[in-house]
Amino acid sequence: MGRTAGRGAGDTRRLVLDAASEVFRTRGTGATLDDVARQAGVSKGGLVYHFPSKDVLVQALVAAMLEEFRTAVHACLDPDDDQPGRLVRAYVRASLSLPDTGEAREASALIAQLVTAPEVAEVARADAARWKGDLAADGLPADVITLVVSAADGASVAPLWGATLRDDERDQLVARLVGLTTEAAQDR
Amino acid sequence: MGRTAGRGAGDTRRLVLDAASEVFRTRGTGATLDDVARQAGVSKGGLVYHFPSKDVLVQALVAAMLEEFRTAVHACLDPDDDQPGRLVRAYVRASLSLPDTGEAREASALIAQLVTAPEVAEVARADAARWKGDLAADGLPADVITLVVSAADGASVAPLWGATLRDDERDQLVARLVGLTTEAAQDR
DNA sequence: TGTACATCAGTGAACGCGCGTTCACTGATGTAC
DNA sequence: TGTACATCAGTGAACGCGCGTTCACTGATGTAC
């Protein structure tokens, strides 16, 4: 069979990327291209048509995941909040919001698995630098940003080594972190 | 050649474990047993004699690394500090002390790579539960522990995704986290 | 103390198979005339 | 509008090799007598 009717190439590409996200996040990088192809409902050859090697697929996945997190943070921006630190607060909420906390953990686990590859490490470094700039431009004192962002990062990846926070602990942490940023904004 | 003179079986075992730590941390889980054996100066067969499968080796390594971190924290305990929160402060220092920060990152990267394996995840979870208990017994309010430990965790693993703190930022963070614990201890 | 034997602590070659990659081929879609 | 041709978007089988595992064998160490 050749080209599949009713589906463009871009659709298939996204199908494969979604499948890769699912499979690699749950089973680690050791998962096979056969697994990904099966999950995507595409032949292995079809997968390879879009991503010529496993490396290429993995890099595309990392880029997509970083972009997705950025989008999630912006979706958490409070439209009624125009004080300094609004982006930091959105970052905290996006990192620790209940529904996708598991996803955030899996995402960081996957990125952790991949940064041993230099190209992936470089992509991640560039993204981190961009975050640092964006967050610094948010109007809060640098030390507050460091503290709050570190705590959000730590709490969201702690499940990696099995240290999950209870819901009430997490809620309390979010409240406290948001509080720290608003205090700092008013001190200025 | 058979048994190597002047070296006990336990010595060889440790040699292999050290080599595995070095190789897997720098090159990821994808690194081969050949690599580990070469680094240890042992034949592949010799490695297998001590660790019958790669899984077994990896589990032993994880256990050793978790134990090592625990030892490092206890080494950071301040003998002159008998206030509540002394263990939390040691945890902060051990996580963020300059020399072995890179090592801490590599260690968490490796554990992140491995938690997709259920046995490893279980070991890590048990270790995390033990930490939670130990830290809770340290005399500080729960919300302070959550905040401080999350921030220490976050700052120590952030290099995973390329977000390294500058030395002065890290020093400032340590000072602030330690400060938070002593304030909380005096409020009681 | 010497001798025989069992076990321990390895060696290194060979095996086998899982998995990434290659490849010949194909049906659907777009384009020129 | 039909026709011929090129390209796109795949299929699925075969290949090949890297790497975990197995195995036959060996020299050193411990133990019984």
Side-chain angles (χ1 to χ4, degrees):
Chain A
M1 191 179 15
R3 173 180 302 203
T4 302
R7 190 176 72 193
D11 299 330
T12 305
R13 207 188 129 88
R14 179 144 302 275
L15 230 50
V16 171
L17 221 41
D18 287 349
S21 171
E22 167 76 15
V23 169
F24 286 146
R25 276 201 325 235
T26 54
R27 293 208 284 274
T29 340
T32 72
L33 293 185
D34 274 309
D35 291 335
V36 174
R38 196 175 312 120
Q39 172 84 14
V42 165
S43 68
K44 186 151 60 162
L47 182 157
V48 168
Y49 177 79
H50 288 283
F51 303 95
S53 75
K54 192 177 188 181
D55 267 5
V56 168
L57 172 61
V58 150
Q59 275 175 257
L61 176 57
V62 168
M65 282 167 48
L66 293 173
E67 189 53 36
E68 194 179 335
F69 177 64
R70 194 173 303 276
T71 304
V73 171
H74 283 272
C76 282
L77 278 171
D78 178 356
D80 299 333
D81 179 0
D82 57 357
Q83 297 296 304
R86 59 195 301 264
L87 184 60
V88 173
R89 284 184 283 281
Y91 186 102
V92 168
R93 282 187 223 106
S95 299
L96 300 182
S97 68
L98 281 170
D100 52 15
T101 268
E103 207 171 307
R105 165 177 54 86
E106 289 173 345
S108 33
L110 183 53
I111 290 184
Q113 290 185 50
L114 300 172
V115 284
T116 47
E119 324 83 54
V120 173
E122 179 48 32
V123 171
R125 208 205 48 71
D127 187 81
R130 189 171 158 203
W131 270 117
K132 191 156 191 170
D134 290 352
L135 292 169
D138 201 28
L140 291 181
D143 63 325
V144 174
I145 299 177
T146 303
L147 172 63
V148 171
V149 170
S150 293
D153 288 344
S156 67
V157 303
L160 269 186
W161 49 87
T164 316
L165 291 178
R166 291 195 317 270
D167 288 358
D168 62 311
E169 290 172 326
R170 180 168 37 223
D171 291 345
Q172 201 171 28
L173 180 61
V174 170
R176 174 133 192 197
L177 293 177
V178 169
L180 278 170
T181 66
T182 54
E183 282 168 30
Q186 280 153 13
D187 285 352
R188 285 163 59 84
Chain B
M1 192 177 17
R3 173 181 302 204
T4 302
R7 190 176 72 194
D11 299 329
T12 305
R13 207 188 130 87
R14 180 143 303 274
L15 229 50
V16 170
L17 220 43
D18 288 348
S21 171
E22 167 77 15
V23 168
F24 286 146
R25 275 203 325 235
T26 55
R27 295 208 283 274
T29 339
T32 71
L33 293 185
D34 274 309
D35 290 335
V36 174
R38 196 174 312 121
Q39 172 83 15
V42 165
S43 68
K44 187 152 58 161
L47 184 156
V48 168
Y49 177 79
H50 288 283
F51 303 95
S53 76
K54 192 176 187 179
D55 267 5
V56 168
L57 172 60
V58 149
Q59 275 175 257
L61 176 57
V62 167
M65 281 168 46
L66 293 173
E67 189 53 36
E68 193 179 336
F69 177 65
R70 195 173 302 276
T71 304
V73 171
H74 283 272
C76 282
L77 279 171
D78 178 355
D80 300 332
D81 178 0
D82 57 356
Q83 298 296 305
R86 58 195 301 265
L87 184 60
V88 174
R89 284 184 284 280
Y91 187 101
V92 169
R93 281 187 223 105
S95 299
L96 299 181
S97 68
L98 281 171
D100 51 17
T101 269
E103 207 170 306
R105 164 178 54 86
E106 289 173 344
S108 33
L110 183 53
I111 290 184
Q113 289 186 49
L114 300 172
V115 285
T116 47
E119 324 83 54
V120 173
E122 179 47 33
V123 171
R125 207 203 50 70
D127 186 80
R130 189 170 157 204
W131 270 117
K132 191 155 190 168
D134 290 352
L135 292 169
D138 199 29
L140 291 181
D143 64 325
V144 174
I145 298 177
T146 303
L147 171 63
V148 171
V149 170
S150 293
D153 287 345
S156 67
V157 304
L160 268 187
W161 50 86
T164 317
L165 291 180
R166 291 195 317 269
D167 287 359
D168 62 311
E169 290 172 326
R170 180 167 38 223
D171 292 345
Q172 201 170 29
L173 179 61
V174 170
R176 175 134 190 195
L177 293 177
V178 169
L180 279 170
T181 66
T182 54
E183 282 168 29
Q186 279 153 14
D187 284 353
R188 288 163 58 86

